Amino acid sequence: MESPETSPSPVHSIQPPEGRVGVLLPGLGAVATTFLAGVELVRQGAGRPFGSLTQMGTVRLGKRTEHRTPLISEFVPLASLDSLVFGAWDPIPDNAYESALKCGVLDPRDHVEPIRSFLKSIEPMPAAFDQYYVKRIHGPNVKTGRTKRDWAEELRKDIRDFKTRNRCDRLVMIWCASTEIFLEEAPPHRTLEEFERAMEANERCIAPSMLYAWAALKEGVPFVNAAPNLTADIPALVKLANDRGVPIAGKDLKTGQTLLKTVIAPMLKARLLGAKGWYSTNILGNRDGEVLDDPESFRTKEESKLGVLEHILQPDLYPELYADLYHKVCINYYPPRRDNKEGWDNVDIFGWLGYPMQIKIDFLCRDSILAAPIVLDLALFTDLSQRAGMVGIQEWLSFYFKSPQHAPEVYPEHDLFIQQTKLKNNLRYLMGEELITHLGTEYYEDEE
Ligand SMILES: NC(=O)c1ccc[n+]([C@@H]2O[C@H](COP(=O)([O-])OP(=O)(O)OC[C@H]3O[C@@H](n4cnc5c(N)ncnc54)[C@H](O)[C@@H]3O)[C@@H](O)[C@H]2O)c1
């Protein structure tokens, strides 16, 4: 009898992960350099990839009685760390060694100096940069073309040259650059023709991050957005990704406070505990914190952080519990803490008969330490998607994002554990294994 806990999946054909994979990073700041250094240290056996699902996670296959739980890296054909090579763009000309020292995330003696030559070898290419979109960044290492189209064509050339120079078989691009000012979808974002016309006309609605996304997709390179910018979350670029057969994923890595929020909020809803208020504040002293101190960049981040509770708590379905929820998010730039963010949450909840209770959370985290393993997973998983022929929006990677990109007809899934189930079922599906529904009645049925 077919197990009611599982259902069969078709077998997919996946190209083997042979050859070299170039990981291209617009932005060579704290997140990027912490990721790069970490990969190199792990490759040398001088560090462990904690926080990375592709390196340390497992996936259960079949029934619980089968005891089949391989490492994800043994189950799906992922590119190896040794096959990765790296490139970057940044308006600040520091190489990855200089940038890592300035960002101050990693211990210089233990984690920067031992890989000095590797980090020094990663020099940023001139960036497609316009200070109108990121007010607090200044840097001379920028492209000089007349139109945004010129910059984007230069990016395409950079991509091709990098691929040839480094003898890469495949590439992925992950935007690890600053959060740009808030942009809403505008008419030029709706079709590719309009988008390209607006690039040529240097229209304000075309941000630099969109040029990188356009260039990547044109070159058949998967594009991932680690920041909350609109970027590839517009119909023109989604269509381009689909037409070119390229995966895209975003937006905004889910690392600190929002990671906790997407665990606590589903718990409240699961137990039908109400919430009247959720006050979240952060202090952060790195360059990202400085960029977010600009109200226009903060607005982009705020929108990304605010959406989460609305979708998880579903006040339309549970008006008595959540319709009056007051949700506030603040980020304060506070240089002494550098990358070591502190996020406080005060949650005013209520239970049986309306009696009030409170939850207080104080998360003393390290922003880039939480982000680096996610960048690695996204690089390896989007490369897998491409080899498996999965094109367009990769909703199965929602697990990693604060504002998961999704099809227009559905709402985004924010609950971390639903996202995790979705991700692992996607891996089972790709490999022709049975999907797990967690029904589990067969363990309690009499044998015939
Ligand atoms: N660290 C986390 O936990 C986390 C979580 C979610 C999202 N993010 C996002 O990741 C991004 C990177 O964060 P970070 O801490 O590394 O910031 P950072 O300021 O240290 O680095 C960003 C770099 O991007 C560069 N840059 C800006 N515009 C650029 C452009 N047009 N082209 C190329 N480079 C450009 C800047 O010069 C800077 O060096 C930010 O947008 C941040 O909001 C980080």
Side-chain angles (χ1 to χ4, degrees):
M1 192 184 88
E2 189 183 294
S3 155
E5 184 169 356
T6 58
S7 55
S9 328
V11 180
H12 279 72
S13 83
I14 305 175
Q15 301 289 319
E18 282 159 9
R20 286 152 75 90
V21 183
V23 181
L24 294 170
L25 306 166
L28 190 55
V31 169
T33 55
T34 307
F35 156 68
L36 293 166
V39 170
E40 183 62 7
L41 290 163
V42 171
R43 291 202 280 216
Q44 295 188 5
R48 297 288 298 143
F50 299 122
S52 164
L53 206 62
T54 58
Q55 305 306 301
M56 304 193 77
T58 60
V59 55
R60 176 191 133 200
L61 304 176
K63 294 186 202 165
R64 275 178 278 163
T65 46
E66 292 177 35
H67 301 290
R68 285 197 295 146
T69 313
L71 282 170
I72 287 173
S73 57
E74 288 168 356
F75 175 56
V76 288
L78 295 175
S80 70
L81 295 193
D82 286 334
S83 70
L84 303 182
V85 288
F86 306 97
W89 293 266
D90 204 296
I92 300 171
D94 296 343
N95 61 42
Y97 169 76
E98 293 159 336
S99 176
L101 287 178
K102 279 192 194 161
C103 292
V105 178
L106 298 173
D107 182 275
R109 199 195 56 192
D110 293 344
H111 293 134
V112 181
E113 291 304 336
I115 52 167
R116 181 191 178 111
S117 60
F118 164 78
L119 291 172
K120 278 196 158 180
S121 72
I122 303 166
E123 303 260 0
M125 297 177 264
F129 177 75
D130 178 345
Q131 218 189 11
Y132 172 75
Y133 300 89
V134 187
K135 303 276 187 294
R136 304 280 162 99
I137 297 283
H138 311 263
N141 188 34
V142 294
K143 301 209 181 294
T144 52
R146 196 176 50 82
T147 67
K148 292 182 176 177
R149 174 84 189 224
D150 295 339
W151 293 359
E153 294 294 352
E154 281 185 51
L155 290 171
R156 288 186 69 178
K157 184 167 179 314
D158 292 344
I159 294 170
R160 286 195 295 267
D161 290 349
F162 178 90
K163 191 171 182 189
T164 314
R165 215 172 37 248
N166 291 281
R167 292 172 285 108
C168 293
D169 297 84
R170 300 178 308 284
L171 302 169
V172 296
M173 185 187 287
I174 305 186
W175 172 272
C176 289
S178 311
T179 300
E180 296 172 327
I181 60 170
F182 183 67
L183 288 181
E184 275 176 307
E185 192 183 304
H189 298 145
R190 303 216 172 118
T191 67
L192 193 57
E193 295 69 34
E194 272 295 293
F195 182 88
E196 291 177 351
R197 189 202 50 73
M199 280 203 296
E200 268 148 35
N202 281 338
E203 286 191 20
R204 280 274 160 91
C205 64
I206 307 292
S209 60
M210 293 175 180
L211 305 179
Y212 287 91
W214 179 85
L217 299 177
K218 282 288 215 188
E219 294 299 319
V221 175
F223 180 84
V224 177
N225 186 4
N229 321 319
L230 191 59
T231 312
D233 197 5
I234 53 175
L237 294 183
V238 173
K239 172 109 179 21
L240 180 59
N242 285 322
D243 289 352
R244 293 273 163 155
V246 185
I248 51 172
K251 309 173 306 211
D252 204 9
L253 304 183
K254 178 154 91 171
T255 50
Q257 193 165 54
T258 310
L259 178 66
L260 292 184
K261 217 169 248 183
T262 60
V263 172
I264 303 286
M267 176 275 287
L268 294 176
K269 190 176 77 174
R271 289 298 173 95
L272 298 164
L273 296 169
K276 278 198 164 50
W278 199 311
Y279 175 73
S280 303
T281 189
N282 296 272
I283 54 174
L284 174 65
N286 61 14
R287 195 159 50 200
D288 185 33
E290 192 181 351
V291 166
L292 295 174
D293 210 34
D294 171 52
E296 290 187 84
S297 286
F298 176 67
R299 170 102 196 269
T300 311
K301 195 59 125 180
E302 188 184 25
E303 291 282 322
S304 174
K305 281 176 165 267
L306 283 176
V308 167
L309 286 186
E310 177 84 11
H311 287 293
I312 293 180
L313 296 175
Q314 297 177 299
D316 47 329
L317 288 183
Y318 304 99
E320 280 185 280
L321 297 174
Y322 307 118
D324 297 331
L325 175 71
Y326 184 82
H327 185 198
K328 173 93 181 150
V329 179
C330 310
I331 299 180
N332 293 305
Y333 177 51
Y334 180 62
R337 286 292 178 88
R338 305 193 72 175
D339 200 63
N340 298 346
K341 177 150 77 180
E342 183 160 1
W344 287 275
D345 285 90
N346 170 72
V347 195
D348 285 295
I349 64 169
F350 56 91
W352 190 241
L353 308 176
Y355 279 79
M357 295 171 269
Q358 294 181 11
I359 302 173
K360 310 276 183 193
I361 303 166
D362 184 3
F363 189 14
L364 290 107
C365 62
R366 290 174 188 264
D367 237 17
S368 304
I369 294 296
L370 292 169
I374 299 191
V375 175
L376 173 61
D377 285 356
L378 286 166
L380 299 185
F381 278 146
T382 40
D383 174 55
L384 172 72
S385 289
Q386 189 166 46
R387 284 181 288 106
M390 297 167 73
V391 307
I393 298 169
Q394 303 298 298
E395 210 203 340
W396 67 285
L397 297 173
S398 297
F399 181 63
Y400 294 110
F401 297 111
K402 280 204 246 325
S403 305
Q405 231 180 302
H406 57 91
E409 60 275 19
V410 292
Y411 60 83
E413 188 50 74
H414 283 288
D415 177 328
L416 187 79
F417 295 104
I418 296 178
Q419 293 173 331
Q420 185 199 34
T421 304
K422 199 179 180 70
L423 187 151
K424 291 194 175 181
N425 264 340
N426 189 82
L427 298 178
R428 295 180 186 108
Y429 172 74
L430 279 179
M431 300 309 291
E433 280 284 341
E434 290 172 322
L435 306 186
I436 292 186
T437 63
H438 300 289
L439 183 63
T441 50
E442 73 271 31
Y443 304 124
Y444 302 95
E445 283 165 359
D446 288 339
E447 301 245 336
E448 303 210 346

